[in-house]
Amino acid sequence: QVQLVESGGGLVQAGGSLRLSCAASGLTFSNYDMGWFRQAPGKERDFVAFISWSGANTNYADSVKGRFTISRDNAKNTAYLQMNSLKPEDTAVYYCAARPAGSSFYRNWGQGTQVTVSS
């Protein structure tokens, strides 16, 4: 059974930093691309960042470019999202997701972790 478990969310002041982790189990982690998404209250779930199975390729939503960094450690079956210079508009529930390498459909999702940025 595939499980993705996010951690590292919390309350932080604007300008602060957080690092989210996504621990994966029940899959061959190095065969999966990983993504981070977020959903603010009353809004749709939006793409935040992507990293390929090897870590060689990444991309980001325009709203987080230059502030967020996605990474992964295949030996630890974990993906990360380093979030710097946080803004109140970054407040959301953050989800990690996994998809087989090269596919376009995220098959597995975590339960989410809340990030709240105060002004």
Side-chain angles (χ1 to χ4, degrees):
Q1 180 181 356
V2 176
Q3 277 196 313
L4 302 176
V5 179
E6 301 96 336
S7 60
L11 174 63
V12 64
Q13 287 189 331
S17 298
L18 285 173
R19 187 175 84 152
L20 305 184
S21 299
C22 173
S25 60
L27 52 72
T28 303
F29 187 67
S30 57
N31 288 349
Y32 283 75
D33 299 331
M34 298 297 295
W36 284 95
F37 294 78
R38 67 186 181 186
Q39 186 167 20
K43 296 189 176 181
E44 294 185 350
R45 189 175 299 188
D46 290 331
F47 166 77
V48 174
F50 161 87
I51 187 165
S52 61
W53 64 273
S54 65
N57 297 307
T58 60
N59 61 59
Y60 299 89
D62 288 345
S63 59
V64 307
K65 278 181 184 176
R67 300 188 298 123
F68 290 12
T69 302
I70 190 171
S71 62
R72 66 189 295 158
D73 185 335
N74 285 349
K76 295 183 178 180
N77 288 357
T78 302
Y80 304 96
L81 186 68
Q82 177 68 43
M83 306 186 296
N84 298 329
S85 303
L86 282 161
K87 305 175 181 180
E89 52 264 43
D90 295 318
T91 295
V93 177
Y94 283 71
Y95 300 88
C96 67
R99 70 186 197 193
S103 75
S104 58
F105 177 67
Y106 285 94
R107 180 180 299 177
N108 304 102
W109 293 80
Q111 82 291 348
T113 186
Q114 176 70 48
V115 171
T116 303
V117 184
S118 64
S119 57

